């Protein structure tokens, strides 16, 4: 629908999942990010955490991280 409406190139689309209860930390879960105009396309094989998503969005938008995020060891 985003492509049909012409809004795909104006959309930052993020699809992710979380581990189910009683998860095994070795299980990999999906994280898909689509940036407007297919910027930054590719595959990253390194592990990330859900905590990586907000700083990534803010960085893409050119917005400084709020003070409460700064200095948090998991968000650096």
């Amino acid at each position: 629908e985003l492509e049909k409406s012409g809004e795909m190139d104006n959309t930052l689309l993020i699809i992710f999942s979380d581990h189910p209860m009683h998860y095994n930390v070795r299980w990999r879960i999906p994280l898909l990010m689509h940036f407007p105009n297919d910027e930054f396309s590719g595959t990253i094989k390194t592990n990330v955490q859900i905590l990586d998503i907000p700083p990534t969005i803010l960085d893409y938008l050119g917005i400084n991280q709020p003070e409460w995020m700064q200095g948090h060891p998991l968000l650096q």
Side-chain angles (χ1 to χ4, degrees):
E1 290 301 314
L2 289 169
E3 288 178 346
K4 285 181 191 176
S5 67
E7 291 300 316
M8 191 64 162
D9 286 336
N10 297 320
T11 302
L12 176 58
L13 182 63
I14 301 168
I15 301 170
F16 68 95
S17 179
D18 199 358
H19 292 288
M21 302 241 342
H22 309 292
Y23 68 93
N24 180 333
V25 295
R26 293 188 179 126
W27 294 346
R28 295 180 59 107
I29 57 171
L31 170 61
L32 305 168
M33 298 180 83
H34 173 272
F35 291 88
N37 301 310
D38 291 326
E39 292 181 79
F40 313 110
S41 64
T43 301
I44 298 171
K45 300 255 182 198
T46 58
N47 290 334
V48 297
Q49 297 181 28
I50 292 175
L51 286 172
D52 296 320
I53 296 172
T56 300
I57 295 168
L58 293 173
D59 184 56
Y60 175 76
L61 296 173
I63 299 172
N64 293 327
Q65 289 183 21
E67 188 174 315
W68 63 268
M69 277 183 156
Q70 295 177 11
H72 193 290
L74 294 175
L75 296 175
Q76 298 301 313

